[in-house]
């Protein structure tokens, strides 16, 4: 496959937007009976059809493969055994897509199934293939329906929840908006079910500051894996890619149309403002597309060089410790240990990058000058542990 330059892929005009809509398990099937909530699903489908009639491109990120599988197999609850959950997801995913295909088929709308794992995106060429496939489907007028491939995912390579998957998908298609549909109208300062004084958060342009000022403990439903905490993480990922992120009520999907046309007069929702200078695609992929295989600890001068200079790569001389086991071309966090205001030592992640040497090789050459690498290893793949082009700054 010939890769397109994804920096120059289709960007909609102001009147034609690319939207990613994430629908959680609680919006798709009943938490106790696991029967599909056909009323909700029908409204979601009708909203997407309406959005497409207005010229917008829409990607749907869905959960509920496990919940749908439980219903199909007449099982009362999700088991704890990983292989059982994967088998149930395999049953449920086919049924879930059949439901979507039936509902969209009423409007003669084609859909496509996209199943992803983080491992699929760890290889740059596979990541670009996924981007190109999504772009081609959107250009063809198809609605891509994205889910995590639960049948083969394990904890080490899972996205964690579909909120995170939706944020990564939004970054891949250069979406204008990511809609996180949930069971409340918006993000609140506390749990509105237990605290009547909880105040709605309408607009946020500083997610880190917001985390310090609100209480978020919602764990998600018994079938799902997400909650409001994961939505904040997703909003952080998406806004870093230049995607405006919205939290709104899943049972009222038509709110989406009003929010994109007249946000000030739209129903209650939370808007996370996109960063004015989003990360370049490759840097964003390094940060969020790659599984972090280990940690490289550096001394303070090396950390300052990485943060302060646009051209500084990481040499072995600046490395003081390595944690985890990884091989070359995997990714690792670059961490410096600093004293905080309480006089306690804390770890600060400076950057993440693709390594040129394995963890064992780095342990042998750390604190050494570049000219000594060959003497120690008997070979030299690079002057640097991590090249600047393969590094994304975190702070």
């Amino acid at each position: 496959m010939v890769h397109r330059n994804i920096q120059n892929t289709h960007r909609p005009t102001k009147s034609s937007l690319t939207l990613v809509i994430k629908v959680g398990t609680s919006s798709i099937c009943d938490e106790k009976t696991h029967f599909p909530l056909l009323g909700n699903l029908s409204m979601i489908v009708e909203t997407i059809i309406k959005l497409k009639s207005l010229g917008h491109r829409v990607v749907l990120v869905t959960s509920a493969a496990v919940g749908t599988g439980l219903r199909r197999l007449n099982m009362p609850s999700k088991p704890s055994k990983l292989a059982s959950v994967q088998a149930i997801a395999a049953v449920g995913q086919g049924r879930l897509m059949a439901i979507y295909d039936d509902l969209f088929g009423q409007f003669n709308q084609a859909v496509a199934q996209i199943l992803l794992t983080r491992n699929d995106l760890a290889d740059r060429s596979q990541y670009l293939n996924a981007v190109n496939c999504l772009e081609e489907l959107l250009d063809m007028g198809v609605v891509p329906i994205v889910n995590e491939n639960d049948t083969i995912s394990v904890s080490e390579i899972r996205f964690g929840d579909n909120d995170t998957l939706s944020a990564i998908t939004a970054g891949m298609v250069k979406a204008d908006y990511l809609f996180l549909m949930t069971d409340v109208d918006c993000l609140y300062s506390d749990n509105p079910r237990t605290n009547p004084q909880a105040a709605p958060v309408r607009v946020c342009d500083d997610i880190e500051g917001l985390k310090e000022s609100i209480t978020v403990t919602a764990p998600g439903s018994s079938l799902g894996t997400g909650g409001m905490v994961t939505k904040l993480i997703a909003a952080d990922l998406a806004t870093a890619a230049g995607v405006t992120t919205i939290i709104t009520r899943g049972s009222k999907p038509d709110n989406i149309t009003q929010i994109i046309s007249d946000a000030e007069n739209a129903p209650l929702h939370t808007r996370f403002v996109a960063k004015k200078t989003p990360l370049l695609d490759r840097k964003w992929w390094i940060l969020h597309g790659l599984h972090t295989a280990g940690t490289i600890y550096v001394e303070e001068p090396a950390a300052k060089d990485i943060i302060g200079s646009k051209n500084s790569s990481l040499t072995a001389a600046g490395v003081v410790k390595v944690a985890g086991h990884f091989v070359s071309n995997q990714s690792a966090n670059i961490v410096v240990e600093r004293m905080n205001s309480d006089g306690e030592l804390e770890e600060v992640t400076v950057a993440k990058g693709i390594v040129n040497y394995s963890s064992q090789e780095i342990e042998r050459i750390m604190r050494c000058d570049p000219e000594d690498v060959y003497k120690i290893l008997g070979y030299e793949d690079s002057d640097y542990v991590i090249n600047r082009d393969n590094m994304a700054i975190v702070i």
Side-chain angles (χ1 to χ4, degrees):
M1 173 181 265
V2 177
H3 298 312
R4 288 184 283 173
N5 182 347
I6 64 176
Q7 296 292 340
N8 297 320
T9 51
H10 169 71
R11 288 292 293 162
T13 63
K14 187 176 181 181
S15 60
S16 174
L17 304 173
T18 298
L19 314 173
V20 174
I21 301 171
K22 185 269 176 179
V23 182
T25 302
S26 61
S27 298
I28 296 171
C29 62
D30 186 273
E31 187 173 346
K32 294 181 179 179
T33 67
H34 309 147
F35 278 114
L37 301 174
L38 292 177
N40 276 5
L41 286 169
S42 296
M43 286 192 293
I44 291 164
V45 169
E46 289 179 25
T47 297
I48 292 173
I49 295 299
K50 181 178 180 180
L51 289 166
K52 285 186 62 60
S53 72
L54 295 172
H56 305 309
R57 310 193 309 167
V58 183
V59 178
L60 177 63
V61 177
T62 183
S63 300
V66 173
T68 306
L70 289 172
R71 177 67 266 164
R72 196 67 163 168
L73 296 170
N74 292 316
M75 297 176 68
S77 60
K78 183 166 68 173
S80 57
K81 184 180 176 183
L82 175 61
S84 298
V85 175
Q86 291 173 324
I88 293 166
V91 173
Q93 183 62 34
R95 182 59 187 151
L96 182 63
M97 278 304 300
I99 293 171
Y100 278 124
D101 193 50
D102 285 343
L103 291 172
F104 278 104
Q106 302 303 313
F107 301 92
N108 198 30
Q109 172 61 55
V111 297
Q113 174 179 258
I114 305 287
L115 296 178
L116 296 173
T117 67
R118 190 178 286 278
N119 220 30
D120 295 327
L121 307 182
D123 179 81
R124 182 65 177 170
S125 64
Q126 289 185 200
Y127 172 83
L128 292 174
N129 282 340
V131 170
N132 289 336
C133 180
L134 285 165
E135 283 289 343
E136 196 66 31
L137 288 168
L138 290 170
D139 289 345
M140 292 168 67
V142 176
V143 175
I145 300 179
V146 180
N147 197 358
E148 181 157 14
N149 194 348
D150 292 318
T151 60
I152 61 172
S153 290
V154 294
S155 58
E156 289 82 6
I157 60 171
R158 283 185 61 84
F159 290 103
D161 59 85
N162 278 10
D163 292 326
T164 303
L165 175 59
S166 68
I168 290 175
T169 303
M172 291 169 69
V173 298
K174 301 291 189 296
D176 297 278
Y177 285 93
L178 166 62
F179 286 89
L180 301 173
M181 313 302 284
T182 185
D183 55 0
V184 291
D185 291 314
C186 64
L187 176 67
Y188 287 85
S189 58
D190 200 352
N191 190 337
R193 297 185 181 91
T194 57
N195 181 3
Q197 304 301 317
V201 177
R202 297 178 183 273
V203 180
C204 173
D205 57 8
D206 180 9
I207 295 175
E208 288 303 316
L210 178 67
K211 289 177 183 177
E212 297 175 3
S213 63
I214 65 173
T215 303
V216 181
T217 57
S221 71
S222 62
L223 293 178
T225 58
M228 204 55 76
V229 172
T230 63
K231 286 171 177 55
L232 284 178
I233 294 171
D236 204 9
L237 301 189
T239 53
V243 182
T244 298
T245 303
I246 306 291
I247 293 177
T248 188
R249 186 175 287 274
S251 60
K252 297 179 181 179
D254 192 52
N255 286 356
I256 294 172
T257 309
Q258 300 176 62
I259 289 169
I260 63 175
S261 60
D262 186 7
E264 291 186 5
N265 297 310
L268 186 61
H269 65 279
T270 299
R271 173 185 297 259
F272 296 91
V273 181
K275 298 288 175 59
K276 293 181 179 179
T277 54
L279 287 170
L280 295 176
D281 174 76
R282 181 174 174 81
K283 302 290 187 180
W284 193 85
W285 168 72
I286 290 171
L287 271 181
H288 306 303
L290 293 180
H291 167 63
T292 304
T295 304
I296 298 172
Y297 292 86
V298 300
E299 59 187 6
E300 187 65 43
K304 288 181 178 178
D305 283 345
I306 291 170
I307 297 168
S309 171
K310 294 183 178 180
N311 302 313
S312 288
S313 297
L314 176 63
T315 66
V319 178
V320 295
K321 186 170 61 174
V322 180
H325 299 282
F326 50 85
V327 298
S328 100
N329 291 318
Q330 285 191 298
S331 71
N333 281 335
I334 301 173
V335 171
V336 63
E337 293 182 319
R338 290 173 174 164
M339 288 288 183
N340 61 23
S341 57
D342 297 325
E344 298 173 342
L345 197 64
E346 66 176 5
E347 296 184 356
V348 178
T349 301
V350 174
K352 180 179 174 181
I354 301 171
V355 298
N356 293 320
Y357 294 96
S358 71
S359 53
Q360 291 180 325
E361 290 168 329
I362 296 171
E363 285 180 330
R364 292 177 61 191
I365 62 176
M366 63 185 185
R367 297 184 184 275
C368 295
D369 292 329
E371 57 267 21
D372 294 327
V373 170
Y374 184 86
K375 298 175 186 176
I376 296 170
L377 297 179
Y379 54 86
E380 184 181 27
D381 292 335
S382 172
D383 289 339
Y384 306 109
V385 172
I386 299 178
N387 293 77
R388 186 67 180 202
D389 289 343
N390 289 331
M391 188 189 300
I393 308 302
V394 174
I395 58 175

